[in-house]
Amino acid sequence: MPSFTESSTRSAFPFRLGAASALLAVIAVIGSTQPTTAQTRPFTISGVVTDADSHESLVAATVQATGPDGSTHGVTTDRYGRFSFPIPTGPIQITVRHVGYVLRSIELTVAADTFLTIPLAPATLVLDSLVVQGSRTNDSPTSTATVRLSPEEIRRIPALGGEPDAVKAFQLMPGVAGGREGEAGLYVRGGSPDQNLVLLDGTPVYNVNHLVGFLSVLNPEAIRSVALSKGPGPARFGGRLSSTLDVALREGNRDHRQRHASVSPVSGAVTFDGPIRGARSSYLFAIRRTWLDQLYKRFQPPKERYGYNFYDTVAKLSRSYDRGGFYVSVYAGRDNFWGRSDQSLTSHDEKYRGRLGWGNLTTSIRWQGVVGSGVLMQASAYRTHYSTTFRERYDSTYRDGSISTEAANFVSGITDLGLTSEIELPRRNRIDFRAGASGVLHHFTPGSHTASVTSATPGDNPVVDETGSRAGVAAFSSAIFSEAEVEATDAMSFSVGLRFSNLFVDSHSWILAEPRLAINLQLRPSTNFEVRVDRSTQFVHLLSRSGIGVPLDLWMPSTASIGPESGWQYSLGCVQILDESGIRLNADIYYRTMSGLVEPLAGSSLVGIDAANWEQRVETGNGQASGLELLARRESGRLTGWVAYTLARSTRTFDGIDRGMEFPYRFDRRHDFAVTTTYRLTERWIVSATWVFATGNALWLPSARVPSIEDDAGYRTWPERDPSINAYVYDARNAAREPNYHRLDFSFRKTRQTDRGTESWTIGLYNAYARRNPFFISAREQEDGSIRYYQISPFVLIPAINYEFEF
Amino acid sequence: MSLSSRTSRVPPNQRTGSSGAAVFVVVTTSLLGLQGCKGFIDVDLPQRDPELAVFAFASPHDELHVDVFRVASAGEAATIESLRINDATVVFSRGDMVDTLSLSADGGYVANVRPTYSERFEIRVVAPGYPAATAASAIPDRPSISGVDVSAVRNDEEWIDYGVSFTLDDMPGPTVYSVGAYTQRPPNEQTQGVEWTGVFLTGTDPVFRTELADVGALQLEVTIPSGSPLYLSDATFDGERTDLAVETRLYFRQPPLEARLVVTAMDADYFEYHKALELQRRNLEDPFAEPVALYSNVIGGQGVVAGYAREETSIVFQ
């Protein structure tokens, strides 16, 4: 049910836009004109919750104020650790909770608007009595659609190659599939990876893959928190259909300098952070690089070499003042394949040099602060750039002295320059209000390619023949949003939001309204129900030849003829916290529709697609997904972890595929089950294990063959194309299935204090019982013309070892 | 856009250095194979019922020839002859005219009549043990070409670049053309009666070959197999007269050479089938490529029944 409007040419759906505008106004009115009662809410308390050791802010801490009359007001700190709400006059008690920290209570009497910095002490384990101090959990149920993982949880999960990975950790959550074996992609609720908005300190990142997808670009040492919203989430998030992965970088320790180093068979990483001239400023610098190229180098002949490496770096400077702060973040990461050869042939010598690289570079500067009477504000500017480049060059020197040089360059990328701002009003009359706006200037360079040939004979000037296309596309997108969270009664609250998104490209404008509604019913203190209806849209399309994170990703903007992707998601969720054990139970069902999905035409190559022709090389279609998600999770105690199960279905419909019949999505999984556990054996030893079972991915393979009879307009040509039986007949798209996927991983982690710092060893095994899960399956022609199906299972009994040292 | 930007003296298929695609595949495969397992597996595919595969490329220039086979399973070791169906009833119908084809010596079925220009026809095949297979197609109008001109430029000591230009009087409606050049070969034992060989051509405004330009993940060059025709869409000159040009490069010792320039108008079935076949060849064993289904317009079976009409003229490379 699209409600797109192309404002420059027509005004379709005026009523819907009008209604949406009215809704936006109502939300704004709710938030801004709510009456205040001087007798009961004269003051606002705002502040930030921090780690008592490092003074870094804490995300998702629960701050609750209890008034003299027993009334309570509670909020959760935002992604920057901030909170703000009104308080009644008189003495109040403020209670602050966060997973892994000691609960803290403060009693105070407020006589004016107040800003507080509340440090929380990390929880410690008392081994003798086997008692865990500190808060067990944030013991009030919250949204069912958001999953949050701490860096410590991520580190404990057994990882491929001993490389902790935030993205892969989320693959173990319900509603999130991981694509192919070993891949670090996220397929959220039947969506594709390009439908995930990955925010690194608020800056979009377009490609999260290292190592052709086996590792994500998120270095866990630089991460403070990661949260995944399944679905569009609140109205402040936009631009993607399936999810938002919100990654907050650490600010750096403001109390003392820290150094952290880690080594695994895949890479080495070091992190430096600490205060700058006192506790108000801090820095963080993290760098990680693979060793693989150094290993390969030793086994190759000098005249023909190839290799691979990746690196990523994070740098952040933070400066806080009494009621806010400035932050500057930089991320740079890149992967490189390269090859070179030197050949001596009869007629000439030839040198080949080739390099394929892809990576992101993001820069952001952010200000945040509390202004006026507890109004939280923030503004940021960012630049994000993703590109794939391929360069190759042949230099030939002939025996007669002439030379020939052939060079080819291919660049595909996207660059965004963005500005965002948000305000959040302190809670009044049980209403939280937030509003914001953003504007992004995009520049797409899809498939820019040039080829040149230079030839010269002795005594002559070189002749240069250059062809190619450097076409790019500029686009401007903007959005405004407002959202209000209304606590209607003690048992019911609702969140209503509206986002207007606009794209201006090539003299055409798309305007879309994205309403978001969530109704929350708290039947008991530990039981929550949530109903959500969300609409979302995205103005960027990803054309990707394969799903394994290979860097030939072409990002394209919506155009006048290829519209935006949009979708509706309906979900119902329930959270139950079991008081005795602290186990949190989640159950969600969802149904979603997607339209405007884009696929390359069958058999077409991504190289050769550029800004001028891409609309003719794709087809558009729709998708549907539905599912049931169950999660049981325990976050504190000696035994932590979760059990997750997903029953799901995801399909697609394209007019040009299977004559418009519905077919399963490539990564449609009927069942997906994961158990992730961590058990603290002693103060030093932790053992972790993960077991995963999933229905095999959908497959589209040839099932029959016929002679490949050809015709040359009646001419029998020589050499005659002898017909063989190698024309392959396929069944319905994705009708077959890969074998079911399952594996067991485990790891042991030993941590000990030394004179110089904290040392950790992690030893583990990935796919411990050697299940041959397919990375890919393809058809292979045999000598007799028949075909057999061939499978590569790269990850069998992969040992993992990781050493970390922090001082 | 020129199809081929390569002017190197080393033909692409003789290049011995690494290519970008090769580097990528080698490194990736090596990484995967560090401790990995690979091997053949059985895949649980949906069961297929017996089907006929029918192939017919009809034109007013030749007698209609229909090949009928049974569809082989993917893993079956079969030969062309073992798949031929010799007891089928093949019926050609055009308007009120109906003709039953006879089995010929080469295993195919031959009609006593020829299709005519601008007319639809249908072929129905019935064989014991198989569901009936039916397909319909149409013969396009004969393409009209004029003003054929050949120009030559000596490229270097060994090569001469020829340009062949001509005017095509396009018919209204979307049409796909192919342009090919063929030289007659003297009969000998090696050619076994095959009369023609294709001339290497490059051209402008190609649609088919550009789509097919499977430069892989890493290569940017486009090459055309010798002897294959070029395919052109009339999307930009629908219903108008237009000037077209193709190029070829010949060894200087090869001319003078007489060839036939053949311009073929084809129906959509002809084009889609050949396109799918070519794409399958290129993508089958590429694990990173999207599969391509074989195009078929046969109801109740596989294969293709398609029509074309050609016009040809003699050209001389001096």
Coordinates of all heavy atoms in Angstrom, one line a residue, chain A residues 214 296 304 306 337 350 352 390 398 402 406 408 453 545 703-705 709-711 713-715 717-718 728 731 781 784 787 789 791 793-794, chain B residues 6-9 15 18 20 27 30 32 37 39 41 45 48 72 74 76-77 196-197 218 260 270 273-274 280-281 285-286 290 308 310 312:
Chain A
F214 N 33.2 -12.9 6.6 CA 33.4 -13.8 7.7 C 33.6 -13.0 9.0 O 33.6 -13.6 10.1 CB 34.5 -14.7 7.5 CG 34.4 -15.6 6.3 CD1 35.5 -15.9 5.5 CD2 33.2 -16.1 5.9 CE1 35.3 -16.6 4.4 CE2 33.0 -16.8 4.8 CZ 34.1 -17.1 4.0
Y296 N 50.5 -15.8 3.9 CA 50.5 -16.2 2.5 C 51.8 -15.9 1.7 O 52.3 -16.6 0.9 CB 49.4 -15.5 1.7 CG 48.1 -16.3 1.6 CD1 47.2 -16.3 2.7 CD2 47.9 -17.1 0.5 CE1 46.1 -17.1 2.6 CE2 46.8 -17.8 0.4 CZ 45.9 -17.9 1.5 OH 44.7 -18.6 1.4
E304 N 54.8 -14.7 -9.0 CA 53.3 -14.7 -9.0 C 52.8 -14.7 -7.6 O 52.9 -15.8 -6.9 CB 52.8 -15.9 -9.8 CG 51.3 -15.8 -10.0 CD 50.8 -16.6 -11.2 OE1 51.7 -17.1 -11.9 OE2 49.6 -16.8 -11.3
Y306 N 49.8 -13.3 -4.7 CA 48.5 -12.7 -4.4 C 48.4 -12.7 -2.9 O 49.1 -13.4 -2.1 CB 47.4 -13.5 -5.0 CG 47.4 -15.0 -4.8 CD1 46.9 -15.5 -3.6 CD2 48.0 -15.9 -5.7 CE1 46.9 -16.9 -3.4 CE2 48.1 -17.2 -5.4 CZ 47.5 -17.7 -4.3 OH 47.6 -19.1 -4.0
F337 N 42.4 -7.2 -1.6 CA 42.9 -8.4 -2.3 C 43.9 -7.8 -3.4 O 43.6 -6.8 -4.0 CB 41.8 -9.1 -3.1 CG 41.0 -10.0 -2.3 CD1 39.7 -9.6 -1.9 CD2 41.4 -11.3 -1.9 CE1 38.9 -10.5 -1.1 CE2 40.6 -12.1 -1.1 CZ 39.4 -11.7 -0.8
E350 N 55.6 -9.6 -19.7 CA 54.3 -9.0 -19.3 C 54.3 -8.9 -17.8 O 54.6 -9.9 -17.1 CB 53.1 -9.9 -19.8 CG 51.8 -9.3 -19.4 CD 50.6 -10.2 -19.9 OE1 50.3 -11.1 -19.1 OE2 50.2 -9.9 -21.0
Y352 N 51.7 -8.0 -14.6 CA 50.3 -7.8 -14.2 C 50.3 -7.3 -12.7 O 51.0 -7.8 -11.8 CB 49.5 -9.0 -14.3 CG 48.2 -8.9 -13.6 CD1 47.1 -8.3 -14.3 CD2 47.9 -9.4 -12.3 CE1 45.9 -8.1 -13.7 CE2 46.7 -9.2 -11.7 CZ 45.7 -8.6 -12.4 OH 44.5 -8.4 -11.8
F390 N 38.6 -1.4 -8.0 CA 39.4 -2.5 -8.6 C 40.3 -1.8 -9.6 O 39.8 -1.0 -10.5 CB 38.5 -3.5 -9.3 CG 39.3 -4.5 -10.1 CD1 40.2 -5.3 -9.5 CD2 39.2 -4.5 -11.5 CE1 41.0 -6.2 -10.2 CE2 40.0 -5.4 -12.2 CZ 40.9 -6.2 -11.6
Y398 N 57.5 -5.7 -25.9 CA 57.7 -6.7 -27.0 C 59.2 -6.7 -27.4 O 59.9 -5.8 -27.1 CB 56.8 -6.3 -28.1 CG 55.3 -6.5 -27.8 CD1 54.6 -5.5 -27.2 CD2 54.7 -7.7 -28.0 CE1 53.3 -5.7 -26.9 CE2 53.4 -7.9 -27.7 CZ 52.7 -6.9 -27.1 OH 51.4 -7.1 -26.7
S402 N 58.6 -2.2 -28.8 CA 57.3 -1.6 -28.6 C 56.7 -2.0 -27.2 O 57.1 -3.1 -26.7 CB 56.4 -1.9 -29.7 OG 56.1 -3.3 -29.8
E406 N 47.8 -1.7 -20.7 CA 46.4 -1.8 -20.6 C 46.0 -1.6 -19.1 O 46.5 -2.3 -18.3 CB 45.8 -3.1 -21.1 CG 46.1 -3.3 -22.6 CD 45.7 -4.7 -23.0 OE1 44.5 -5.0 -22.8 OE2 46.6 -5.4 -23.6
A408 N 42.7 -0.8 -16.3 CA 41.3 -0.8 -16.1 C 41.1 -0.3 -14.6 O 41.8 -0.8 -13.7 CB 40.7 -2.1 -16.3
V453 N 44.2 2.0 -23.0 CA 45.2 1.2 -23.7 C 46.3 2.2 -24.2 O 45.9 3.2 -25.0 CB 44.7 0.4 -24.9 CG1 45.8 -0.4 -25.6 CG2 43.6 -0.6 -24.4
R545 N 25.8 -9.0 -6.3 CA 25.8 -10.2 -7.1 C 25.7 -11.4 -6.2 O 25.1 -12.5 -6.7 CB 27.0 -10.2 -7.9 CG 27.1 -11.4 -8.8 CD 28.2 -11.4 -9.7 NE 28.3 -12.5 -10.6 CZ 29.1 -12.7 -11.6 NH1 30.0 -11.7 -11.8 NH2 29.1 -13.7 -12.4
S703 N 17.6 -29.1 -12.2 CA 17.2 -30.5 -11.9 C 17.1 -31.3 -13.1 O 16.8 -32.5 -13.0 CB 15.8 -30.4 -11.2 OG 14.9 -29.8 -12.0
A704 N 17.2 -30.8 -14.3 CA 17.1 -31.5 -15.5 C 17.9 -30.9 -16.6 O 18.3 -29.7 -16.4 CB 15.6 -31.6 -15.9
R705 N 18.1 -31.6 -17.7 CA 18.9 -31.0 -18.8 C 18.3 -31.5 -20.1 O 17.7 -32.6 -20.2 CB 20.4 -31.3 -18.6 CG 20.7 -32.7 -18.6 CD 22.1 -32.9 -18.0 NE 22.4 -34.3 -18.0 CZ 23.3 -34.9 -18.9 NH1 23.9 -34.2 -19.8 NH2 23.5 -36.2 -18.8
I709 N 20.4 -27.0 -28.2 CA 20.2 -26.8 -29.7 C 20.3 -25.3 -30.0 O 19.6 -24.5 -29.3 CB 18.9 -27.3 -30.1 CG1 18.7 -28.8 -29.7 CG2 18.7 -27.2 -31.6 CD1 19.7 -29.7 -30.4
E710 N 21.2 -24.9 -30.9 CA 21.3 -23.5 -31.3 C 21.0 -23.3 -32.7 O 21.0 -24.2 -33.5 CB 22.7 -23.0 -31.0 CG 22.9 -22.8 -29.5 CD 24.3 -22.1 -29.3 OE1 25.3 -22.9 -29.2 OE2 24.4 -20.9 -29.3
D711 N 20.8 -22.0 -33.1 CA 20.6 -21.7 -34.5 C 21.3 -20.4 -34.8 O 21.3 -19.5 -34.1 CB 19.1 -21.5 -34.7 CG 18.7 -21.2 -36.1 OD1 18.8 -22.2 -36.9 OD2 18.5 -20.1 -36.4
A713 N 20.7 -18.5 -37.6 CA 19.9 -18.0 -38.7 C 20.0 -18.9 -39.9 O 20.0 -18.5 -41.1 CB 20.3 -16.6 -39.1
G714 N 20.0 -20.2 -39.7 CA 20.0 -21.2 -40.7 C 21.4 -21.5 -41.2 O 21.6 -22.5 -42.0
Y715 N 22.5 -20.9 -40.8 CA 23.8 -21.2 -41.2 C 24.4 -22.2 -40.4 O 24.4 -22.2 -39.1 CB 24.7 -19.9 -41.2 CG 24.5 -19.0 -42.4 CD1 23.4 -18.2 -42.5 CD2 25.5 -19.0 -43.4 CE1 23.2 -17.5 -43.6 CE2 25.3 -18.3 -44.5 CZ 24.2 -17.5 -44.6 OH 24.0 -16.7 -45.7
T717 N 27.7 -23.4 -39.1 CA 29.0 -22.7 -39.0 C 30.1 -23.7 -38.5 O 29.8 -24.7 -37.9 CB 28.9 -21.5 -38.1 OG1 28.5 -22.0 -36.8 CG2 28.0 -20.5 -38.6
W718 N 31.3 -23.3 -38.9 CA 32.4 -24.1 -38.4 C 33.3 -23.2 -37.6 O 33.6 -22.1 -38.0 CB 33.2 -24.6 -39.6 CG 34.3 -25.5 -39.2 CD1 34.3 -26.9 -39.1 CD2 35.7 -25.1 -38.9 NE1 35.5 -27.4 -38.7 CE2 36.4 -26.3 -38.5 CE3 36.3 -23.9 -38.8 CZ2 37.7 -26.3 -38.1 CZ3 37.7 -23.9 -38.4 CH2 38.3 -25.1 -38.1
Y728 N 20.3 -26.4 -19.1 CA 19.8 -26.8 -17.8 C 18.5 -26.3 -17.5 O 18.2 -25.1 -17.6 CB 20.8 -26.5 -16.7 CG 22.1 -27.2 -16.9 CD1 23.2 -26.6 -17.5 CD2 22.2 -28.6 -16.7 CE1 24.4 -27.3 -17.7 CE2 23.4 -29.3 -17.0 CZ 24.5 -28.6 -17.5 OH 25.6 -29.3 -17.8
D731 N 13.8 -25.9 -11.7 CA 12.5 -25.9 -11.1 C 12.1 -24.5 -10.6 O 12.8 -23.6 -10.9 CB 12.4 -26.9 -9.9 CG 12.5 -28.3 -10.4 OD1 11.7 -28.7 -11.3 OD2 13.4 -29.0 -10.0
E781 N 29.5 -29.7 -14.0 CA 29.3 -30.6 -15.1 C 30.3 -31.6 -15.1 O 31.5 -31.4 -14.9 CB 29.3 -29.7 -16.4 CG 29.0 -30.5 -17.6 CD 28.9 -29.6 -18.9 OE1 28.8 -28.4 -18.7 OE2 28.9 -30.2 -20.0
D784 N 30.6 -36.8 -18.7 CA 29.6 -37.3 -19.5 C 28.4 -36.4 -19.7 O 27.4 -36.7 -20.2 CB 29.1 -38.7 -18.9 CG 28.5 -38.4 -17.5 OD1 28.4 -37.3 -17.1 OD2 28.1 -39.4 -16.8
I787 N 25.3 -33.5 -14.4 CA 25.8 -32.6 -13.4 C 25.7 -33.2 -12.0 O 24.7 -34.0 -11.8 CB 25.1 -31.2 -13.5 CG1 23.6 -31.4 -13.4 CG2 25.5 -30.5 -14.7 CD1 22.9 -30.0 -13.3
Y789 N 26.1 -32.1 -7.7 CA 26.1 -30.9 -6.9 C 27.3 -30.9 -5.9 O 27.6 -31.9 -5.3 CB 24.8 -30.9 -6.1 CG 23.6 -30.9 -7.0 CD1 22.8 -32.1 -7.2 CD2 23.3 -29.8 -7.8 CE1 21.8 -32.1 -8.1 CE2 22.3 -29.9 -8.8 CZ 21.5 -31.1 -8.9 OH 20.5 -31.1 -9.8
Q791 N 29.6 -29.2 -2.9 CA 29.5 -28.3 -1.7 C 30.8 -28.0 -1.1 O 31.7 -28.9 -1.1 CB 28.6 -29.1 -0.7 CG 28.7 -28.5 0.7 CD 27.8 -29.3 1.7 OE1 26.6 -29.6 1.4 NE2 28.4 -29.7 2.8
S793 N 32.4 -26.8 2.4 CA 32.1 -26.5 3.9 C 33.4 -26.1 4.5 O 34.2 -26.9 5.0 CB 31.7 -27.8 4.5 OG 30.6 -28.4 3.8
P794 N 33.7 -24.8 4.6 CA 35.0 -24.4 5.0 C 35.3 -24.4 6.5 O 36.4 -24.5 6.9 CB 35.1 -22.9 4.5 CG 33.6 -22.5 4.4 CD 32.8 -23.7 4.1
Chain B
R6 N 39.9 -3.5 -26.4 CA 41.2 -4.1 -26.4 C 41.8 -3.9 -27.8 O 41.3 -4.3 -28.8 CB 41.1 -5.6 -26.0 CG 42.4 -6.3 -26.2 CD 42.2 -7.7 -25.7 NE 42.0 -7.8 -24.3 CZ 43.0 -7.7 -23.4 NH1 44.3 -7.6 -23.8 NH2 42.8 -7.8 -22.1
T7 N 43.0 -3.4 -27.8 CA 43.7 -3.3 -29.0 C 45.1 -3.9 -28.9 O 45.9 -3.8 -29.8 CB 43.9 -1.8 -29.4 OG1 44.6 -1.2 -28.4 CG2 42.6 -1.1 -29.7
S8 N 45.2 -4.6 -27.8 CA 46.5 -5.3 -27.6 C 46.7 -6.3 -28.7 O 45.8 -6.9 -29.3 CB 46.5 -6.0 -26.3 OG 47.6 -6.9 -26.2
R9 N 48.0 -6.6 -28.9 CA 48.3 -7.6 -29.9 C 48.2 -9.0 -29.4 O 48.4 -10.0 -30.1 CB 49.7 -7.4 -30.5 CG 49.8 -6.0 -31.2 CD 51.1 -5.9 -31.9 NE 52.2 -5.9 -31.0 CZ 53.5 -5.7 -31.4 NH1 53.7 -5.4 -32.7 NH2 54.4 -5.7 -30.6
R15 N 46.3 -14.8 -23.1 CA 47.0 -14.1 -22.0 C 47.3 -15.1 -20.9 O 46.5 -15.9 -20.5 CB 46.0 -13.0 -21.4 CG 46.7 -12.1 -20.5 CD 45.8 -10.9 -20.2 NE 45.8 -10.0 -21.4 CZ 46.8 -9.2 -21.8 NH1 47.9 -9.3 -21.2 NH2 46.6 -8.4 -22.8
S18 N 48.1 -13.3 -14.5 CA 46.9 -13.5 -13.6 C 45.9 -12.5 -14.0 O 46.1 -11.4 -14.5 CB 47.3 -13.2 -12.1 OG 48.4 -14.0 -11.8
G20 N 42.4 -10.4 -12.5 CA 41.8 -10.0 -11.2 C 40.8 -11.1 -10.7 O 40.9 -11.4 -9.6
V27 N 42.4 -16.6 -4.0 CA 42.5 -16.2 -2.6 C 41.3 -16.7 -1.8 O 41.5 -17.2 -0.7 CB 42.8 -14.7 -2.5 CG1 42.8 -14.3 -1.0 CG2 44.1 -14.3 -3.2
S30 N 41.3 -20.3 -1.4 CA 42.3 -20.8 -0.5 C 42.0 -20.5 1.0 O 42.2 -21.4 1.8 CB 43.6 -20.1 -0.8 OG 44.0 -20.3 -2.2
L32 N 39.0 -20.3 2.2 CA 37.9 -21.2 2.6 C 38.5 -22.6 2.8 O 38.0 -23.4 3.6 CB 36.9 -21.2 1.5 CG 36.1 -19.9 1.3 CD1 35.1 -20.1 0.2 CD2 35.4 -19.5 2.6
C37 N 36.1 -28.6 4.0 CA 35.8 -29.9 3.3 C 35.0 -29.5 2.1 O 34.2 -28.6 2.1 CB 34.9 -30.7 4.2 SG 35.8 -31.2 5.7
G39 N 33.2 -31.4 -1.5 CA 32.8 -32.7 -2.1 C 31.5 -32.7 -2.7 O 30.7 -31.7 -2.5
I41 N 27.6 -33.8 -3.2 CA 26.5 -34.2 -2.3 C 25.3 -34.5 -3.1 O 25.2 -34.2 -4.2 CB 26.2 -33.0 -1.3 CG1 25.8 -31.8 -2.1 CG2 27.4 -32.7 -0.4 CD1 25.1 -30.8 -1.2
L45 N 16.0 -32.6 -4.5 CA 15.3 -31.8 -5.5 C 13.9 -32.3 -5.7 O 13.6 -33.5 -5.5 CB 16.0 -31.7 -6.8 CG 17.4 -31.0 -6.8 CD1 18.1 -31.3 -8.1 CD2 17.2 -29.5 -6.5
R48 N 10.6 -34.6 -10.9 CA 10.0 -34.1 -12.1 C 9.3 -35.2 -12.9 O 9.7 -36.4 -12.9 CB 11.2 -33.7 -13.0 CG 12.0 -32.5 -12.5 CD 12.9 -32.0 -13.6 NE 12.2 -31.4 -14.7 CZ 11.9 -30.1 -14.7 NH1 12.3 -29.3 -13.7 NH2 11.2 -29.6 -15.7
A72 N 16.2 -35.0 -19.8 CA 17.0 -35.9 -18.9 C 17.1 -35.3 -17.5 O 17.0 -34.1 -17.3 CB 18.4 -36.1 -19.5
A74 N 19.1 -34.3 -14.2 CA 20.4 -33.6 -14.1 C 21.6 -34.5 -14.0 O 22.6 -34.3 -14.6 CB 20.4 -32.6 -13.0
E76 N 21.7 -37.7 -14.9 CA 21.7 -38.8 -15.8 C 22.8 -38.7 -16.9 O 23.0 -37.7 -17.5 CB 20.3 -38.9 -16.5 CG 20.1 -40.0 -17.5 CD 18.7 -39.9 -18.1 OE1 17.9 -39.1 -17.6 OE2 18.5 -40.5 -19.2
A77 N 23.5 -39.8 -17.1 CA 24.5 -39.9 -18.1 C 23.8 -40.3 -19.4 O 23.4 -41.4 -19.6 CB 25.6 -40.9 -17.8
W196 N 30.1 -23.0 -43.6 CA 30.3 -21.7 -43.3 C 31.2 -21.5 -42.0 O 31.1 -22.3 -41.1 CB 29.0 -20.9 -43.1 CG 28.1 -21.0 -44.3 CD1 27.1 -22.0 -44.5 CD2 28.2 -20.2 -45.4 NE1 26.6 -21.8 -45.7 CE2 27.2 -20.7 -46.3 CE3 28.9 -19.1 -45.8 CZ2 27.0 -20.1 -47.6 CZ3 28.7 -18.5 -47.0 CH2 27.7 -19.0 -47.9
T197 N 31.9 -20.4 -42.0 CA 32.6 -20.0 -40.8 C 32.2 -18.6 -40.4 O 32.1 -17.7 -41.3 CB 34.1 -20.2 -40.9 OG1 34.7 -20.0 -39.6 CG2 34.7 -19.3 -41.9
L218 N 35.8 -9.1 -11.9 CA 37.0 -8.2 -11.9 C 37.4 -7.8 -13.3 O 38.1 -6.8 -13.4 CB 38.1 -9.0 -11.3 CG 37.9 -9.5 -9.9 CD1 39.0 -10.4 -9.4 CD2 37.7 -8.3 -9.0
R260 N 29.2 -13.3 -46.5 CA 27.8 -12.9 -46.5 C 27.5 -12.2 -45.2 O 27.7 -12.7 -44.1 CB 26.9 -14.1 -46.6 CG 26.9 -14.8 -48.0 CD 25.9 -15.8 -48.0 NE 25.9 -16.5 -49.3 CZ 25.2 -17.6 -49.6 NH1 24.3 -18.0 -48.7 NH2 25.3 -18.2 -50.7
Y270 N 13.0 -16.6 -29.9 CA 14.3 -16.9 -30.4 C 15.4 -16.2 -29.6 O 16.4 -16.8 -29.2 CB 14.4 -16.4 -31.9 CG 15.6 -16.8 -32.7 CD1 15.5 -17.8 -33.6 CD2 16.8 -16.1 -32.5 CE1 16.6 -18.2 -34.4 CE2 17.9 -16.5 -33.2 CZ 17.8 -17.5 -34.2 OH 19.0 -17.8 -34.9
Y273 N 15.6 -17.4 -25.8 CA 16.2 -18.7 -25.6 C 17.7 -18.7 -25.8 O 18.5 -19.2 -25.0 CB 15.6 -19.7 -26.7 CG 16.3 -21.0 -26.8 CD1 16.1 -22.0 -25.8 CD2 17.2 -21.2 -27.8 CE1 16.8 -23.2 -25.9 CE2 17.9 -22.4 -27.9 CZ 17.7 -23.4 -26.9 OH 18.4 -24.6 -27.0
H274 N 18.2 -18.0 -26.9 CA 19.6 -18.0 -27.1 C 20.3 -17.2 -26.0 O 21.5 -17.5 -25.6 CB 19.9 -17.3 -28.5 CG 19.7 -18.3 -29.6 ND1 18.5 -18.6 -30.1 CD2 20.6 -19.1 -30.2 CE1 18.6 -19.5 -31.1 NE2 19.8 -19.8 -31.2
Q280 N 23.7 -19.3 -19.4 CA 24.0 -20.5 -18.6 C 25.4 -21.0 -18.8 O 26.0 -21.4 -17.8 CB 23.0 -21.6 -19.1 CG 21.6 -21.5 -18.5 CD 20.9 -22.8 -18.6 OE1 21.3 -23.8 -19.2 NE2 19.8 -22.9 -17.9
R281 N 25.9 -20.9 -20.0 CA 27.3 -21.4 -20.3 C 28.2 -20.6 -19.4 O 29.2 -21.2 -18.9 CB 27.6 -21.2 -21.7 CG 26.9 -22.1 -22.7 CD 27.8 -22.2 -23.9 NE 27.1 -23.2 -24.8 CZ 26.5 -22.8 -25.9 NH1 26.4 -21.6 -26.3 NH2 25.9 -23.7 -26.7
E285 N 29.3 -22.7 -13.6 CA 30.2 -23.1 -12.6 C 30.8 -21.9 -11.8 O 31.8 -22.1 -11.1 CB 31.3 -24.0 -13.2 CG 30.7 -25.3 -13.7 CD 31.8 -26.3 -14.0 OE1 33.0 -26.0 -13.7 OE2 31.5 -27.4 -14.5
D286 N 30.2 -20.8 -11.9 CA 30.6 -19.7 -11.2 C 29.7 -19.6 -9.9 O 28.5 -19.3 -10.0 CB 30.4 -18.4 -12.0 CG 30.8 -17.1 -11.3 OD1 31.1 -17.2 -10.1 OD2 30.8 -16.1 -11.9
E290 N 24.4 -15.5 -10.3 CA 23.0 -15.9 -10.1 C 22.7 -16.9 -11.3 O 23.1 -16.7 -12.4 CB 22.1 -14.7 -10.3 CG 22.4 -13.6 -9.2 CD 22.1 -14.1 -7.8 OE1 21.3 -15.0 -7.6 OE2 22.8 -13.6 -6.9
Y308 N 12.3 -16.8 -37.3 CA 13.2 -15.7 -37.7 C 13.1 -15.5 -39.2 O 12.6 -16.3 -39.9 CB 14.7 -16.0 -37.3 CG 15.3 -17.2 -38.1 CD1 15.9 -16.9 -39.3 CD2 15.2 -18.5 -37.6 CE1 16.5 -18.0 -40.0 CE2 15.7 -19.5 -38.3 CZ 16.4 -19.3 -39.5 OH 16.9 -20.3 -40.2
R310 N 15.7 -13.8 -42.4 CA 17.0 -13.2 -42.6 C 17.1 -12.5 -44.0 O 16.3 -12.8 -44.9 CB 18.1 -14.2 -42.5 CG 18.1 -15.3 -43.6 CD 19.3 -16.1 -43.5 NE 19.4 -17.1 -44.6 CZ 19.1 -18.3 -44.5 NH1 18.7 -18.9 -43.4 NH2 19.2 -19.1 -45.6
E312 N 20.4 -11.2 -46.6 CA 21.8 -11.4 -46.7 C 22.3 -10.7 -47.9 O 21.6 -10.6 -48.9 CB 22.2 -12.8 -46.6 CG 21.6 -13.7 -47.7 CD 21.8 -15.2 -47.3 OE1 21.6 -15.5 -46.2 OE2 22.1 -15.9 -48.3

